[in-house]
Amino acid sequence: MNPVDWSAETWGAIGSGATALAFFVSAWVLSLQLKDRRRTPAEGVTVWVDDRYTQDEDRELVRSVSVTLKNAGAHPVFDVQVVVGYGHFGSAVTSVGPLAVPTQPVLPPGAEWTWPIKDLLGSLEVEGRLVAEVSFRDAANRWWLRDFGGQLQRWRGRMRRSVTKLDDGDVTLEKFGPVSWENPVSVAAAFWSVLGDPVGPDRTDRLTSLCTPESLPGWGDFDGIAELLEGHGLASFPAYPAPRVAYVKFPEDVDHALIVSGPTLVAAKIMTLQHRNDLEPAGWRVFAIGSPVPPEAIPGPPSV
């Protein structure tokens, strides 16, 4: 067996190898530290749905459902968009939009905000458990997504899987959720459909029944609204800026219906609807079309 040559050259080779190894280890550790540092502002941002039953004074079960958005980190995040969905464990999640959660330009550190959504679930046919996901941007302009499963990931495909085109043969009111006065998109679709009917008293009566009484003086014969929505489509992603107020989008330059299942930037006319319990049947009514009407500018129902 040849003895090891412990000469200066051998020690130099070992030293060079050890230095190179130390360099690669240091570079690897540094890359992990940089990756962790990039994730740090995003790690504290979470969202969840609280769906529970409690007993009231008469020992009747009362359901409460809310969405909570929290930033437990030390840095603000920006352009925060929450999407609610439902599904069974291990299956795909069906997105139903933000419901009552408005887009937040800034979510400051330490913020924890909650929005009730139970009243909005009447327009949905929910199967399985309710979940939520949140997308946002950090101060370095990196987009992040905490998905329906709670996993945090870089969101390089922002606005993905948001719009689905429907062929003409597939367009039915059922595509936009339950056909009900409790579904604002269903009411918007009905209004849009009746606008295409022949002009006459029957058309006017049907459109009038779909509107709030306070808005009727501004509609006229509705012909101007038909022209306003010419060349528009109907999106299925309503927003709720305040309790009992909904916005439904009519995207411009669209020759087909759209199923919108995520945050999407499109030029659109906005239909503002108000939920009215004082009308028969109770449910959503159209208040205006064009630009979104601020909730505080919408007259409330007359006091009894």
Side-chain angles (χ1 to χ4, degrees), residues 226-300:
E227 295 176 2
L228 181 69
L229 291 181
E230 186 175 353
H232 288 66
L234 174 62
S236 61
F237 196 61
Y240 300 88
R244 301 189 178 280
V245 177
Y247 294 152
V248 174
K249 290 182 180 179
F250 287 80
E252 298 178 3
D253 300 321
V254 173
D255 58 359
H256 49 261
L258 301 174
I259 296 294
V260 180
S261 60
T264 307
L265 298 177
V266 293
K269 297 292 190 299
I270 305 298
M271 175 182 284
T272 302
L273 299 96
Q274 183 185 41
H275 192 279
R276 299 289 292 264
N277 287 327
D278 61 311
L279 302 178
E280 182 60 38
W284 292 97
R285 298 295 191 281
V286 180
F287 178 77
I289 300 177
S291 299
V293 179
E296 66 273 15
I298 303 173

Side-chain angles (χ1 to χ4, degrees), residues 5-277:
D5 180 11
W6 295 108
S7 63
E9 290 78 5
T10 302
W11 281 110
I14 294 174
S16 298
T19 301
L21 179 60
F23 171 78
F24 286 116
V25 170
S26 298
W28 177 66
V29 171
L30 179 59
S31 68
L32 291 180
Q33 291 175 340
L34 290 175
K35 184 177 181 180
D36 288 343
R37 190 175 302 171
R38 288 195 297 266
R39 291 176 64 91
T40 297
E43 288 285 0
V45 179
T46 54
V47 65
W48 65 90
V49 178
D50 186 13
D51 187 355
R52 67 176 67 187
Y53 287 87
T54 57
Q55 287 186 328
D56 61 14
E57 296 178 352
D58 299 324
R59 302 185 66 81
E60 296 288 338
L61 289 178
V62 178
R63 186 188 185 192
S64 62
V65 188
S66 61
V67 177
T68 298
L69 176 65
K70 182 176 182 179
N71 183 3
H75 305 276
V77 294
F78 308 91
D79 299 326
V80 182
Q81 173 76 61
V82 172
V83 175
V84 178
Y86 64 85
H88 297 283
F89 285 99
S91 64
V93 174
T94 300
S95 170
V96 296
L99 297 185
V101 186
T103 299
Q104 300 297 327
V106 181
L107 181 64
E112 183 173 336
W113 299 332
T114 298
W115 295 267
I117 62 170
K118 176 181 173 295
D119 291 344
L120 304 178
L121 298 177
S123 65
L124 305 171
E125 295 178 348
V126 175
E127 296 181 0
R129 62 189 181 117
L130 288 162
V131 291
E133 71 175 13
V134 57
S135 61
F136 55 93
R137 178 176 58 84
D138 65 21
N141 207 34
R142 291 182 294 258
W143 283 93
W144 298 88
L145 174 71
R146 189 174 293 281
D147 62 25
F148 288 119
Q151 299 299 310
L152 180 67
Q153 55 187 286
R154 285 288 301 277
W155 199 23
R156 294 179 176 86
R158 186 177 179 231
M159 305 299 181
R160 72 191 190 287
R161 56 179 171 76
S162 295
V163 179
T164 302
K165 177 181 176 180
L166 292 181
D167 295 329
D168 291 342
D170 294 331
V171 177
T172 62
L173 286 179
E174 287 77 9
K175 290 288 186 181
F176 300 96
V179 179
S180 164
W181 289 94
E182 293 297 327
N183 180 3
V185 181
S186 177
V187 174
F191 186 94
W192 190 36
S193 176
V194 175
L195 279 177
D197 291 349
V199 176
D202 183 61
R203 171 179 178 263
T204 300
D205 289 345
R206 294 175 65 189
L207 289 170
T208 297
S209 69
L210 292 165
C211 297
T212 64
E214 296 79 11
S215 69
L216 291 178
W219 292 111
D221 59 6
F222 294 98
D223 287 347
I225 303 303
E227 295 176 2
L228 181 69
L229 291 181
E230 186 175 353
H232 288 66
L234 174 62
S236 61
F237 196 61
Y240 300 88
R244 301 189 178 280
V245 177
Y247 294 152
V248 174
K249 290 182 180 179
F250 287 80
E252 298 178 3
D253 300 321
V254 173
D255 58 359
H256 49 261
L258 301 174
I259 296 294
V260 180
S261 60
T264 307
L265 298 177
V266 293
K269 297 292 190 299
I270 305 298
M271 175 182 284
T272 302
L273 299 96
Q274 183 185 41
H275 192 279
R276 299 289 292 264
N277 287 327

